[in-house]
Amino acid sequence: MRTPFVAGNWKMNKNVAEARNLVNELVPELRAVDNVDIVLCPPFTSLMAVSAVLEGTNIGLGAQNMYWEKSGAYTGEISPLMLAEFCEYVIIGHSERRAYFDETDKSVNQKVKAALNNNLHPILCVGETFEENEAGRTEEIVTRQVQKGLLDLEGLFSENAGSSLTIAYEPVWAIGTGKAATADGASDVISNVIRTTLSKKLGDDFSQSVRVLYGGSVKGNNAAEFFSNEEIDGALVGGASLKASDFVLIVKAASMS
Ligand code: PGA
């Protein structure tokens, strides 16, 4: 049994005061949820403030990106060591980073490696674009992203693989568009492409223990449908994680799944 996992990706939203307010609303609402791993990923500038509010709660903290070197002359970058002071998780290879900031399978792989080497739990994002989907290339693209993102990682996973890595299947055409994939469509890619690739690469036990989330227009009113599918272990939530009442609904749907 894989524990449900719901992560909120705030993207480039909220200043420190707004971030504190949102977390102060979430903490009491989610306090009683003890069967879901809940993670918030605010912008770097709010990590410290949010981490103080989350101290001693059942909600974990993640970043949205990082560089792979530990320190040095890399102006503007944030290292895994810096994040590990506040966070347990880090989102790697989000489609917005691949599309707007030229992230490649190679840089994504370097970041996943650096996260694992520095006690951070990577949430590796994969997913095809609208054009790739239309051209019937979903399997090819997602297989490549999983294979290359996880290149040469053997030995870096803790005994319980599921606690060291999470994958988020986020079809790019479903992100921020209000047009979510169907639960069956997402489950098909998760089971036949992502888990099959994981299994070939790292073995069946590994593949079965890793949590695979769905992301792309998950809302309070469609979350339960995704979570009732046994292949979908939770969600990476963008827009709906910015409002406490919406995010709470999604976490509660996961808790009841
Ligand atoms: P969305 O974003 O929920 O706003 O579609 C999901 C994501 O980008 O992780």
Side-chain angles (χ1 to χ4, degrees):
M1 272 299 281
R2 298 179 292 257
T3 305
F5 186 126
V6 177
N9 172 13
W10 295 5
K11 308 194 180 183
M12 197 172 72
N13 293 293
K14 306 223 177 267
N15 61 26
V16 174
E18 291 164 343
R20 256 198 217 106
N21 286 344
L22 176 54
V23 181
N24 276 324
E25 282 184 77
L26 289 170
V27 167
E29 290 284 337
L30 297 177
R31 186 171 289 139
V33 178
D34 59 3
N35 60 349
V36 179
D37 286 342
I38 310 165
V39 174
L40 303 178
C41 304
F44 290 129
T45 47
S46 293
L47 284 176
M48 203 169 162
V50 170
S51 124
V53 183
L54 292 182
E55 178 102 43
T57 72
N58 56 336
I59 303 178
L61 186 61
Q64 300 171 17
N65 177 39
M66 62 171 207
Y67 192 53
W68 57 81
E69 294 288 350
K70 290 188 173 171
S71 64
Y74 303 102
T75 302
E77 293 296 323
I78 308 270
S79 87
L81 287 181
M82 294 167 177
L83 290 185
E85 287 192 277
F86 306 104
C87 303
E88 306 92 61
Y89 299 86
V90 58
I91 298 172
I92 304 281
H94 189 279
S95 63
E96 286 150 18
R97 299 223 46 93
R98 295 181 194 253
Y100 308 143
F101 303 99
D102 297 329
E103 291 211 3
T104 61
D105 288 326
K106 184 159 182 238
S107 62
V108 167
N109 176 243
Q110 281 170 292
K111 292 179 180 194
V112 172
K113 247 185 234 164
L116 291 169
N117 273 323
N118 290 284
N119 271 326
L120 288 163
H121 177 134
I123 303 171
L124 169 64
C125 300
V126 298
E128 80 287 359
T129 63
F130 177 75
E131 292 74 22
E132 288 160 348
N133 184 283
E134 287 283 292
R137 296 179 61 207
T138 300
E139 179 171 351
E140 169 206 334
I141 300 296
V142 174
T143 302
R144 190 203 74 216
Q145 289 176 337
V146 173
Q147 272 176 346
K148 298 210 163 164
L150 300 182
L151 214 59
D152 302 328
L153 298 183
E154 292 80 355
L156 288 188
F157 295 107
S158 64
E159 211 148 280
N160 176 5
S163 68
S164 30
L165 170 76
T166 296
I167 294 186
Y169 171 55
E170 301 205 301
V172 179
W173 46 268
I175 296 179
T177 59
K179 283 192 218 134
T182 61
D184 283 350
S187 143
D188 184 41
V189 175
I190 290 174
S191 149
N192 296 321
V193 182
I194 297 178
R195 285 203 199 281
T196 305
T197 308
L198 284 176
S199 172
K200 278 191 201 143
K201 215 176 149 38
L202 294 150
D204 206 40
D205 287 353
F206 184 95
S207 159
Q208 287 307 317
S209 71
V210 169
R211 285 175 295 184
V212 185
L213 317 179
Y214 167 74
S217 298
V218 175
K219 310 280 174 212
N221 61 9
N222 64 6
E225 193 188 327
F226 286 107
F227 301 154
S228 66
N229 188 303
E230 65 177 28
E231 285 296 335
I232 302 175
D233 300 320
L236 181 55
V237 184
S241 69
L242 294 172
K243 212 172 133 206
S245 54
D246 290 344
F247 192 66
V248 166
L249 276 179
I250 295 170
V251 173
K252 292 200 168 158
S255 168
M256 287 184 296
S257 66

